[in-house]
Amino acid sequence: YADLALHERETADMTKANLVKSHHTFSKSGHFVSAGVLVEKPDGTYNIFVAANNEVGPTLFSCAEQGVIREVFNYIPEEELGYISCMIVVDQEGDGSATDKPPFPCPVCRGWIASLAKRSSWGEQLPIYVFRTDLEVGIKTSIGVLLPHMMDFP
């Protein structure tokens, strides 16, 4: 966390805050995940998007990663998608020990992230930071590492 740039830390903080807030929503599994995307424009302005996983019934579920990517695609013009800077995922899972690693996005979410990465200037090197809730234990990776063969999802 300490190695993140200023806007990346702000994105991580907002993503964590969204996770804490989402504990007041319905989740039959009790598992909460929050995801954030940072879009930094050359003029110095930036947007932070966050979303949490959402269970609205026994069979309808939306992952946090998919939710935040939908928000980015809905609100950022196509010509500005190249300014996507990073994606941050905060997951409450794990035992909280110092060696406990945060879980990575599922294969379906990796496909969504690949779609986002293809539209960014980073391509498959789009930075992805995966944290536990405390933001202390984190891993930096990229979609190119998580998904060796890039796919394109809507």
Side-chain angles (χ1 to χ4, degrees):
Y1 175 82
D3 295 336
L4 297 179
L6 175 64
H7 294 147
E8 290 173 338
R9 281 196 309 272
E10 186 177 351
T11 304
D13 290 339
M14 288 182 71
T15 303
K16 176 184 176 181
N18 190 55
L19 180 70
V20 172
K21 182 180 82 172
S22 71
H23 280 263
H24 301 290
T25 63
F26 172 74
S27 174
K28 65 181 174 12
S29 68
H31 179 163
F32 297 95
V33 178
S34 184
V37 172
L38 172 63
V39 181
E40 292 182 289
K41 299 176 187 169
D43 64 4
T45 60
Y46 63 98
N47 297 93
I48 297 173
F49 296 88
V50 294
N53 60 330
N54 184 19
E55 296 179 48
V56 294
T59 59
L60 186 55
F61 180 84
S62 176
C63 292
E65 297 91 337
Q66 294 173 36
V68 75
I69 291 168
R70 281 189 197 110
E71 289 295 309
V72 170
F73 288 162
N74 284 335
Y75 292 103
I76 296 295
E78 184 74 31
E79 63 273 8
E80 294 182 7
L81 290 175
Y83 303 129
I84 295 166
S85 299
C86 71
M87 179 159 197
I88 295 187
V89 179
V90 179
D91 195 315
Q92 72 166 16
E93 289 261 310
D95 62 17
S97 68
T99 58
D100 185 31
K101 301 280 190 260
F104 288 99
C106 74
V108 173
C109 289
R110 291 177 194 196
W112 278 86
I113 296 168
S115 181
L116 180 74
K118 281 184 145 185
R119 290 170 172 87
S120 78
S121 61
W122 288 91
E124 65 184 44
Q125 297 307 312
L126 177 70
I128 301 171
Y129 301 95
V130 184
F131 291 101
R132 282 196 336 236
T133 309
D134 58 12
L135 297 182
E136 295 299 319
V137 176
I139 297 169
K140 179 183 179 183
T141 188
S142 68
I143 194 58
V145 170
L146 295 177
L147 187 67
H149 305 287
M150 296 287 281
M151 299 184 301
D152 193 15
F153 282 66

